[in-house]
Amino acid sequence: MSAATDPVSVIGVKRDGGELSTAQIDAVVHGFTAGTVAPEQMASLAMAIVWRGMSRREIADWTAAMIASGITLDLAGLQRDGAPLTTVDKHSTGGVGDKITLPLTPLIASYGLAVPQLSGRGLGHTGGTLDKLEAIPGWSPRVSPTRLRTQLEEVGAVICAASDELAPADRRLYALRDVTGTVASIPLIAASIMSKKIAEGTGALVLDVKVGSGAFMTTYDDAADLARTMVELGTDAGVRTRALLTDMSSPLGRSAGNALEVAEAIEVLSGGGPRDVVELTLALAREMLDVAGRGDVDPAEHLANGRAMDTWRAMIAAQGGDPAAPLPAAPHRHTVTAASSGRLVRLDALAVGLAAWELGAGRSTPGASVSAGAGVTWHASVGDPVAAGAPLLTLHADDPERFAAALARLADACEVTAEPSARVSPPVDRVLGRIG
Ligand code: URA
């Protein structure tokens, strides 16, 4: 390591608002992965990046260094019936009640595309896709690279745990950022997400960038900046990338919690389900199909005729799950009723997410277990009429002692107004913008 790439010098450059060279970025990311750059040095650099930001060139270099810290998957050459298979993936920046990956992955695969959804577990108030699917008896998130290819060729859809060897620098850095108040940085979030997606080897990618109280980005402008940065990183790496900006001021669908969200996804695959979940699934599906060269089909057809459900069953069974098994339910319930009649004008996504987490649906430390049945269901969405005394929310928990903390989180979550302003409308169409 030269004087210029010494971690203390690198931290100093960024602290003083300078631009890091490619060599400096390579040295700190490589050193952090190898253990020669100390966690406190990396945390200090991350905080300097939070405050000073990074140029597009620095973000691209940071992303490339994190990809180079591990393996990249080769998904080229996948075939079915002798014809090449196109790969396309989706990534959401995370939201409350966001179960869209579950119906979307088999829906896209049912059109003859290959969807390699390498997912993670939840930390904090947004649930992880793997935690949700583990509510299904027998289902395993572990799929070897060889089986990943076979399942993509045979079923088309795989949702599984990302290998520890994909972008390991990001894995270490994300854990550090999580406990040092340095998650909230557009350059670091963009590099983190895109390093994993590019290393995964997908040919095309659609990003769902959430905006609102339940999301990383609470303003449209910040979310658009994040989306643009990620689309550029993907495009420059040869991945056809697009982004939708979608509303996360109120939670998605009617439930937040692992088994509760699987049940809702199955409703969507059965041709029903909450309108906002169906609409967002279809909006993302149209983008994925289009970016993968299948813009000629209407994805609503395979939700209506059961083809997407057939692929869901095959995908779950291929990973040891029993798609027909009853889902676990929490033994204790607590209902919150509406204090007055009127219209629901606010249901705060963050408060609902934190309540689900207090009930046991999420974890506060990496590796902790989660409850399959715990969570929150809401009986009205924003814009719906409610009657005094009617159920507004149901809390589900394995242990009734968890209700008090969840209720405290929900104390100011709902607002019912007798005469709502004209601004209030049901959040059926969540799409706010599109980039790429
Ligand atoms: N998700 C990620 O994978 N990384 C971040 O930095 C934030 C969200």
Side-chain angles (χ1 to χ4, degrees), residues 23-24 33 37 40 83 113 115 118 121 135 138 147 177 193 212 221 278 308 311 395 418 427 430:
Q24 287 173 320
T33 317
V37 170
E40 56 271 27
L113 297 166
V115 190
L118 272 51
R121 294 180 188 282
R147 254 194 59 209
R177 289 167 57 214
I193 291 172
D221 286 349
V278 174
T311 306
L395 314 189
R430 299 241 171 192

Side-chain angles (χ1 to χ4, degrees), residues 174 177 183 188-189 192-193 196 216:
Y174 193 47
R177 289 167 57 214
V183 169
L188 291 177
I189 295 174
S192 167
I193 291 172
K196 288 173 285 205
F216 282 118

Side-chain angles (χ1 to χ4, degrees), residues 149-228:
R149 286 185 73 91
T150 314
Q151 192 171 324
L152 284 172
E153 291 191 323
E154 289 175 357
V155 181
V158 180
I159 303 176
C160 66
S163 153
D164 285 354
E165 293 161 64
L166 276 186
D170 175 65
R171 191 172 293 267
R172 289 194 62 178
L173 180 56
Y174 193 47
L176 184 72
R177 289 167 57 214
D178 199 44
V179 294
T180 55
T182 51
V183 169
S185 152
I186 289 172
L188 291 177
I189 295 174
S192 167
I193 291 172
M194 293 308 292
S195 62
K196 288 173 285 205
K197 287 291 154 186
I198 295 167
E200 160 194 301
T202 186
L205 177 66
V206 173
L207 299 158
D208 179 3
V209 181
K210 304 287 189 192
V211 189
S213 75
F216 282 118
M217 298 295 137
T218 52
T219 69
Y220 184 87
D221 286 349
D222 280 349
D225 191 6
L226 175 63
R228 245 187 313 274

